[in-house]
Amino acid sequence: MKRNSLLGLCLLCTVVANAQLNIQSGATFLIEGGSTVAVAGDVTSASAITGTGTLLLNGTALQHLDMKGNSLPILQINNGAGVALSGSAVVDQNLDFVSGQISLDTNNLSLAAAASITGYDNTKYIVTGGTGQ
């Protein structure tokens, strides 16, 4: 009986767990070209994400992105519940929409001079309802 209870508890923890990414100040986080780091939870980064790979936000509940003004190469949004910007961010190469919106609230989302936005339409876009630009 204890074994079944323990197995059930482990299974519940696995189902409830939400993958998050937290990058500390001074850390180096590199996503190589052709690679994707998929995150189903929130992302907080006190350092720039380098490389030419993709940070994919693909949760099923509202996700928060706080880059603390740092940059990331490619940001892909694939979350019908949306993404809320919790701190300013800079996209160096591409902001790609697969599903959902990104809400700026009071934070700024900047695109580098050569960056592009792809995949947007009337259901996939940037929401500028607050003071964020």
mmCIF file of all heavy atoms in Angstrom, residues 14 99 106:
data_model
loop_
_atom_site.group_PDB
_atom_site.id
_atom_site.type_symbol
_atom_site.label_atom_id
_atom_site.label_comp_id
_atom_site.label_asym_id
_atom_site.label_seq_id
_atom_site.Cartn_x
_atom_site.Cartn_y
_atom_site.Cartn_z
ATOM 1 N N THR A 14 4.946 15.034 -10.752
ATOM 2 C CA THR A 14 5.364 15.156 -12.141
ATOM 3 C C THR A 14 4.333 15.924 -12.954
ATOM 4 O O THR A 14 4.673 16.785 -13.750
ATOM 5 C CB THR A 14 5.571 13.756 -12.758
ATOM 6 O OG1 THR A 14 6.545 13.067 -11.989
ATOM 7 C CG2 THR A 14 6.028 13.849 -14.191
ATOM 8 N N SER A 99 1.449 30.743 -31.595
ATOM 9 C CA SER A 99 0.142 30.802 -30.949
ATOM 10 C C SER A 99 0.226 31.777 -29.785
ATOM 11 O O SER A 99 1.202 31.777 -29.041
ATOM 12 C CB SER A 99 -0.225 29.407 -30.427
ATOM 13 O OG SER A 99 -1.368 29.454 -29.609
ATOM 14 N N THR A 106 3.775 47.265 -18.426
ATOM 15 C CA THR A 106 4.553 48.492 -18.228
ATOM 16 C C THR A 106 6.007 48.329 -18.670
ATOM 17 O O THR A 106 6.850 49.148 -18.340
ATOM 18 C CB THR A 106 4.533 48.920 -16.751
ATOM 19 O OG1 THR A 106 5.093 47.867 -15.967
ATOM 20 C CG2 THR A 106 3.114 49.210 -16.277
#
